[in-house]
Amino acid sequence: MLIRSVVVICSFIIWCTLDPAAAAQSKDTEIISQQVSEFVHAYHNAGIFSGTVLIASGDDIVFAEGVGYANTEMDHLNKVDTVFKTCSIGKQFYAALALRLSERGELDIHAPIAKYLPEYPRPQGDDITIHMLMNQTSGIPNFTRLPMYRDARNVAVEPNEFYKKFSGLELEFEPGTEWAYSISGYYVLGIILERVSGLPIHELLETELFRPLELTQTGYDSDPVMPVGRALGYEWSPTGMQPEQLVHPSKIFSAGMIYSSASDLFRWTRQLHANAPFIQRGTHLLMTDPGEGKTENYVYGLDIWQYERGGAKYRTVGHEGGQFGFQALLEYITPGDWTLVVLCNSGQDIEDLTEGLKNIIAGIEPVQPRPPLMNALAKSIEQHGLSRTKQWVAAITEGGAKDYFVDEFEINNLGYNYLLKEQIDKSILVFHVNTKLFPESANVFDSLGEAYLAQGNQKLAFDNYKRALDMDPGNTHAISVIRQIENDRIGQKIVDEAND
């Protein structure tokens, strides 16, 4: 029996050694791991990524590494198990909670929300279903655009009272007829989940999902101060990376506020696609299948779409998210049974990074990172002054600044950085650059108008707010400022002259 066991073991070893498919796969993953490592470090060395990246094929992790600092003051480095804010990635957990309660007959996801929130204003409460909350077809306006959120994002609120501030607003469209991403729907979903279960949302997540699935590095972020050992979110400024102002958890509630690590998000993805969080067979398909006859769709807490690389078609199920100082992405990609996790705590956009990682997975050379225009612009302003910077800006924007990584929101953040420090001339220059690079964006003209208003130049403020409003008629901030200018005697004269 001993001789036979040795023969069997030796035969297995020889088969594994000689199997060309196994050898090729091992070599492929080694190549991918090396390419990903070089690519991620190139982004970090360019000063445009700090965080953690994990790539896995099936149950096998191909690459997992952190770069940069989780906490600069304490010299804590980012690692595979470093915990980050996951932003809107968390919506899939709340959707899974709703489906678990539905499986047990405690929640009817096709019932109107007024069934569980009888105080919800009519007729919206009768027309909107929980299903619509979860697939973003409710029509409820996104409250993050409203002053009540922007002006006091770090102030605690009572969720059961806060949601009433936007629940009675006019809907953006008839429920179920259109799609529009809004965190308001998931905020309302959280209120319903607490009412139905009788538990606060953090206990519900822990008892229903985190503990049973052994997600030991995942939880609900109920602490307004970032605990020691977790990644802090940073935003770039002319004087270096600065800790971002935290949003109070109650202001986001069940639209996000889940923290996790790359390794835990990988573990969750594997279990979700195996139906592990649910009782009934196939329940996970309500979150991972786009529906009959569809190839792309936003289902319950997850976005499903297709893309091509090198002539091959790929299907991805996932979500991305962003919150002051953090960017996050979690995707499950087929064919290949890939899991891609990107967690960033340096505030920069991660789209180019993730597109490059998908290229590597597909065997295509990724586009190497370019230096951020935001950094170069701030450096020029600080070292060479406004006059020389204007000349330099005119030259590079004429060609679209192709040699730089250009991100509308990063440049806007730089402008607001100067505006908050009352360095108004610098902020105007930065916002003006953004209008040249993104002439179809209402947001950049709104920001330039704000800077001119701070300067006291009502005419140019009016012109830019008017242009923003022409592109985005629903811009309530622009409407409010234009009315203020029109009601002002000096402003009225400006309007009269503009109309002549």
Side-chain angles (χ1 to χ4, degrees):
M1 290 296 294
L2 179 60
I3 296 174
R4 184 180 178 185
S5 298
V6 171
V7 171
V8 171
I9 293 171
C10 290
S11 299
F12 177 74
I13 293 173
I14 293 171
W15 177 82
C16 289
T17 304
L18 297 179
D19 178 38
Q25 183 177 2
S26 175
K27 184 177 181 180
D28 287 345
T29 54
E30 288 179 9
I31 293 172
I32 289 174
S33 178
Q34 181 62 33
Q35 289 178 329
V36 170
S37 178
E38 293 173 358
F39 187 62
V40 170
H41 280 274
Y43 262 81
H44 175 62
N45 294 335
I48 51 179
F49 178 70
S50 171
T52 299
V53 172
L54 182 149
I55 296 178
S57 178
D59 293 326
D60 300 322
I61 294 177
V62 175
F63 174 86
E65 188 177 341
V67 293
Y69 283 92
N71 187 315
T72 56
E73 292 184 359
M74 303 188 72
D75 288 335
H76 289 169
L77 296 173
N78 283 320
K79 301 177 182 179
V80 179
D81 57 356
T82 297
V83 170
F84 294 76
K85 290 182 182 292
T86 65
C87 313
S88 287
I89 286 177
K91 287 180 172 60
Q92 58 197 279
F93 291 98
Y94 299 107
L97 278 181
L99 291 177
R100 281 182 62 87
L101 295 179
S102 175
E103 284 184 319
R104 298 200 295 261
E106 298 174 25
L107 180 70
D108 180 359
I109 61 175
H110 295 288
I113 59 178
K115 177 178 179 179
Y116 302 100
L117 301 176
E119 73 277 14
Y120 204 95
R122 283 2 185 238
Q124 294 100 316
D126 294 324
D127 296 338
I128 299 170
T129 65
I130 296 171
H131 162 80
M132 294 172 189
L133 298 178
M134 294 199 293
N135 73 355
Q136 304 282 11
T137 60
S138 69
I140 302 174
N142 195 341
F143 69 77
T144 58
R145 302 175 191 158
L146 304 176
M148 64 179 180
Y149 172 79
R150 289 201 314 264
D151 297 344
R153 65 193 191 201
N154 62 338
V155 177
V157 295
E158 168 52 49
N160 277 280
E161 295 301 320
F162 182 69
Y163 94 92
K164 295 176 184 177
K165 294 182 180 294
F166 60 83
S167 61
L169 297 177
E170 182 180 354
L171 298 179
E172 294 183 343
F173 50 81
E174 183 181 344
T177 63
E178 298 182 36
W179 185 92
Y181 187 82
S182 171
I183 74 169
S184 302
Y186 271 79
Y187 202 103
V188 175
L189 176 65
I191 301 294
I192 293 174
L193 293 175
E194 288 193 335
R195 295 272 185 97
V196 170
S197 66
L199 295 173
I201 201 69
H202 68 276
E203 285 188 30
L204 190 60
L205 285 163
E206 186 67 31
T207 57
E208 294 286 342
L209 294 176
F210 301 154
R211 196 178 302 142
L213 298 177
E214 298 182 355
L215 303 178
T216 58
Q217 297 165 345
T218 304
Y220 179 79
D221 193 0
S222 57
D223 194 339
V225 180
M226 189 68 73
V228 175
R230 302 241 308 265
L232 284 174
Y234 293 88
E235 290 285 356
W236 190 91
S237 77
T239 56
M241 300 300 289
Q242 300 294 329
E244 182 51 78
Q245 182 184 20
L246 296 174
V247 179
H248 196 279
S250 59
K251 279 287 179 67
I252 302 296
F253 189 49
S254 53
M257 299 319 299
I258 288 178
Y259 62 81
S260 190
S261 66
S263 52
D264 251 17
L265 290 175
F266 165 58
R267 189 175 298 111
W268 157 257
T269 299
R270 297 304 296 166
Q271 295 187 87
L272 173 63
H273 288 268
N275 201 54
F278 307 111
I279 303 168
Q280 299 174 12
R281 183 178 180 181
T283 298
H284 72 294
L285 295 177
L286 295 172
M287 294 179 62
T288 62
D289 191 301
E292 186 176 352
K294 297 180 180 179
T295 57
E296 299 183 340
N297 198 10
Y298 189 99
V299 283
Y300 293 160
L302 288 168
D303 209 356
I304 301 171
W305 69 97
Q306 293 183 331
Y307 65 93
E308 288 192 12
R309 288 293 188 278
K313 289 186 177 181
Y314 293 85
R315 177 178 181 268
T316 183
V317 180
H319 213 294
E320 60 186 3
Q323 186 181 316
F324 308 103
F326 291 92
Q327 295 288 324
L329 176 136
L330 173 60
E331 292 184 2
Y332 174 71
I333 303 169
T334 54
D337 202 19
W338 296 98
T339 300
L340 171 60
V341 185
V342 181
L343 300 173
C344 172
N345 70 319
S346 52
Q348 289 113 333
D349 186 90
I350 58 175
E351 182 178 359
D352 286 355
L353 171 63
T354 56
E355 289 301 305
L357 294 173
K358 290 178 184 178
N359 279 349
I360 294 174
I361 288 173
I364 300 172
E365 189 70 23
V367 177
Q368 292 301 312
R370 295 163 292 165
L373 177 61
M374 177 188 67
N375 296 23
L377 180 58
K379 184 177 180 180
S380 178
I381 290 172
E382 298 304 315
Q383 294 185 357
H384 305 302
L386 294 179
S387 180
R388 284 184 59 184
T389 299
K390 288 178 182 178
Q391 297 175 5
W392 172 73
V393 163
I396 65 167
T397 55
E398 185 176 346
K402 295 179 181 178
D403 294 332
Y404 294 90
F405 171 76
V406 180
D407 181 80
E408 172 190 338
F409 299 103
E410 286 189 358
I411 296 174
N412 236 38
N413 284 341
L414 175 62
Y416 277 110
N417 187 287
Y418 284 128
L419 189 59
L420 291 172
K421 294 178 180 178
E422 298 184 353
Q423 298 176 3
I424 298 173
D425 289 346
K426 292 179 181 180
S427 72
I428 288 174
L429 174 58
V430 173
F431 290 138
H432 182 72
V433 170
N434 236 4
T435 64
K436 294 297 183 183
L437 294 171
F438 302 96
E440 304 301 320
S441 170
N443 182 59
V444 298
F445 287 96
D446 184 287
S447 299
L448 182 55
E450 186 173 347
Y452 277 125
L453 195 63
Q455 190 187 50
N457 192 329
Q458 287 190 319
K459 184 181 187 311
L460 290 180
F462 179 89
D463 291 345
N464 282 280
Y465 274 119
K466 183 66 167 60
R467 186 161 181 181
L469 190 60
D470 288 342
M471 288 187 281
D472 179 14
N475 187 333
T476 56
H477 179 246
I479 292 172
S480 174
V481 175
I482 288 173
R483 285 176 179 169
Q484 289 177 12
I485 295 175
E486 288 175 335
N487 291 334
D488 184 88
R489 284 191 306 172
I490 299 174
Q492 187 61 54
K493 182 179 178 181
I494 293 169
V495 173
D496 292 340
E497 291 174 352
N499 291 332
D500 288 339

